[in-house]
């Protein structure tokens, strides 16, 4: 009787069953991949740690410090004793000073900084809504033109970015002279408008200046989104008989929406912090004071109250960003992993 063991039996005994060596190799390969992934993860954290520490020092610490200072009293004269005091814990008095417009136990008199909070808030959102709306429409139009293939397209794209490359302070001073009573605007249009001397002309002067400067930024971001749309999609739509308007509303807008919403988000957050243009062109006069201007003006009178106002401004901007990202789809970083159900 033969005592030879079948090769299949030997393979099974050596590898733990039929196909054992292959399963063992796959298992070893999976374990090796897991080890590599863990090693890469540790190496990534090692490389990111210095950057995270730097960001914590530059961003997180000032925010926390401003919040702490916002609950402290500003140094000044004590009305009861007439002596100079260093301050102390104020609770929510600084926040009530702005939100409730209270100066001590009374309402802030007209003309004081505390009485200008809601006016500055309204002016800030007015500038934001109008400028972002105009810049989105004009930027979309410019991006569609720059996305087409024609001779001199590179030169056009470079020239369009010139206003955005000019420093904001220079732009503000340029338009300050243009909107002067004897400036080029009144001269060309034959008007006699005191642009920076009354409320709505001053506001429109700032809006026009901001639109001129930052529309190229919107056009650049929207153009990046337009270039991601395959040309074959438009060709198929033309074959199906879709006109220009249908191609725009059914193809361009839906496909460019992610880039468009990110552009609107970035521009909105920037407009909510507007300072340079109104500060240089009008100095905040004629109801052109924004929250950023109010913060700078308050710093000269009391740093802790200014910290409270800057915290309110930060929370306002954060809330707007949260609404854009959570409800309007302005998510600049999309997750590549599908959500688990």
């Amino acid at each position: 009787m033969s005592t030879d063991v079948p090769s299949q039996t030997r393979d099974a005994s050596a590898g733990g069953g039929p196909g054992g060596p292959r399963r063992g190799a796959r298992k070893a390969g999976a374990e090796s991949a897991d080890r590599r992934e863990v090693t890469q993860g540790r190496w990534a954290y090692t490389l990111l740690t210095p950057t995270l520490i730097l960001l914590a020092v530059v961003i997180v610490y000032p925010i926390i410090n401003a919040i702490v200072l916002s609950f402290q009293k500003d140094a000044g004269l004590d009305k009861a004793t007439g002596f100079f005091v260093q301050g102390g814990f104020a609770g929510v008095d600084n926040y009530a000073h702005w939100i409730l417009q209270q100066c001590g136990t009374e309402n802030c008199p007209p003309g004081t900084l505390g009485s200008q909070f809601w006016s500055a808030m309204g002016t800030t959102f007015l500038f934001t809504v109008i400028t972002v709306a105009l810049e989105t429409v004009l930027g979309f139009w410019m991006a569609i033109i720059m996305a087409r293939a024609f001779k001199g397209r590179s030169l056009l794209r470079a020239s369009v970015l010139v206003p955005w490359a000019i420093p904001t302070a220079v732009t503000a001073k340029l338009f300050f002279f243009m909107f002067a009573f004897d400036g080029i605007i009144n001269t060309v249009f034959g008007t006699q408008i005191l642009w920076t001397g009354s409320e709505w002309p001053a506001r429109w002067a700032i809006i026009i200046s901001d639109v001129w400067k930052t529309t190229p930024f919107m056009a650049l971001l929207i153009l990046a989104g337009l270039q991601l749309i395959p040309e074959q999609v438009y060709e198929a739509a033309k074959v199906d008989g879709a006109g220009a308007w249908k191609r725009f509303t059914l193809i361009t807008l839906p496909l460019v929406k992610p880039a468009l919403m990110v552009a609107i988000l970035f521009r909105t957050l920037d407009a909510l912090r507007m300072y340079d243009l109104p500060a240089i062109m009008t100095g905040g006069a004629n109801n052109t004071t924004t929250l950023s201007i109010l913060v700078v003006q308050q710093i000269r009178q009391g740093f802790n109250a200014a910290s409270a106002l800057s915290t309110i401004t930060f929370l306002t901007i954060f809330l707007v960003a949260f609404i854009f990202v959570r409800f309007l789809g302005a998510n600049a970083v999309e997750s590549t992993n599908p959500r688990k159900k």
Side-chain angles (χ1 to χ4, degrees), residues 300-311:
R300 303 176 184 135
Q301 299 186 12
F303 194 80
N304 295 332
S307 297
L309 180 57
S310 64
T311 302

Side-chain angles (χ1 to χ4, degrees), residues 32-52:
S32 177
D34 291 339
R35 286 195 298 269
R36 286 198 302 270
E37 185 176 352
V38 172
T39 303
Q40 291 175 355
R42 292 175 179 174
W43 183 240
Y45 281 116
T46 302
L47 294 176
L48 287 174
T49 298
T51 302
L52 295 176

Side-chain angles (χ1 to χ4, degrees), residues 196-214:
T196 58
S198 51
E199 181 177 350
W200 279 105
R203 288 178 170 180
W204 279 111
I206 294 172
I207 290 171
I208 293 172
S209 305
D210 189 71
V211 169
W212 180 84
K213 174 174 174 53
T214 51

Side-chain angles (χ1 to χ4, degrees), residues 128 132-133 135-137 139-140 217-226 228 252-270 320-334:
T128 300
V132 172
E135 290 161 8
T136 301
V137 174
F140 211 129
F217 172 76
M218 295 289 290
L220 182 65
L221 294 183
I222 297 173
L223 176 62
L226 289 175
L228 295 178
T252 303
L253 277 180
L255 294 182
V256 84
K257 181 182 176 182
L260 178 63
M261 294 308 301
V262 170
I264 294 175
L265 171 62
F266 287 170
R267 185 63 201 109
T268 299
L269 300 184
D270 189 40
V320 172
F322 176 79
I323 292 173
F324 267 88
V325 173
R326 181 65 179 84
F327 300 104
L328 300 180
N331 191 357
V333 182
E334 293 287 349

Side-chain angles (χ1 to χ4, degrees), residues 74-75 113 275 279 283 292-306:
D74 288 315
L113 294 181
Y275 173 79
S292 297
I293 293 178
L294 202 60
V295 170
V296 174
Q297 292 177 345
Q298 177 59 44
I299 288 176
R300 303 176 184 135
Q301 299 186 12
F303 194 80
N304 295 332

Side-chain angles (χ1 to χ4, degrees), residues 2 7 13 30 42 45 65 86-87 97 107 131-133 146 153 160 173 176 221 251 254 277 291 296 327:
S2 175
S7 60
S13 62
R42 292 175 179 174
Y45 281 116
N65 190 43
Q86 290 296 330
H97 170 70
N107 293 332
T131 56
V132 172
M146 291 189 294
R153 183 177 63 175
V160 163
K173 207 62 180 178
F176 174 79
L221 294 183
I251 298 177
L277 286 173
L291 289 175
V296 174
F327 300 104

Side-chain angles (χ1 to χ4, degrees), residues 38 44 57 75 85 114 122 141 158 164 179 197 225 237 280 285 288 329:
V38 172
V57 173
V85 293
W141 174 66
W164 183 48
F179 281 106
I280 295 175
T288 59

